Amino acid sequence: MKDLIEFIARSLVDDPTQVEVSQVQRGSSVEIRLSVAKEDMGRVIGKHGRVANAMRALLRVSAARESTRASLDILEPR
């Protein structure tokens, strides 16, 4: 699941080297944290959050295939 989000994010942004994805296991669910360069935040979130919601939908489908739950958090760059 982490690889899926990383692939999508790197495909969307101008600077793929700034994409950072981490995965945290919380009981029976997984939390994916995505961080990109400040200039690329708009590309990852999309108008009215459509791109981010589409990424979350794909993540839920991927998690369901593995019989688990997953969430995606898009973090501000450091």
Side-chain angles (χ1 to χ4, degrees):
M1 289 182 282
K2 176 184 171 189
D3 295 334
L4 172 67
I5 296 300
E6 187 171 358
F7 174 77
I8 295 169
R10 286 185 190 274
S11 299
L12 290 172
V13 299
D14 284 336
D15 188 5
T17 61
Q18 295 292 319
V19 173
E20 295 179 18
V21 181
S22 62
Q23 182 171 320
V24 178
Q25 187 75 32
R26 300 216 183 263
S28 63
S29 64
V30 176
E31 183 178 313
I32 307 288
R33 296 178 180 162
L34 171 64
S35 178
V36 297
K38 189 172 186 174
E39 301 81 29
D40 292 324
M41 285 295 285
R43 291 178 186 274
V44 172
I45 295 172
K47 287 187 180 182
H48 302 287
R50 288 189 179 124
V51 174
N53 286 336
M55 289 173 65
R56 287 185 177 108
L58 290 170
L59 182 62
R60 279 192 303 269
V61 169
S62 176
R65 295 182 89 188
E66 297 180 17
S67 301
T68 186
R69 299 180 73 146
S71 64
L72 174 64
D73 292 331
I74 301 173
L75 307 174
E76 290 192 27
R78 292 182 221 133

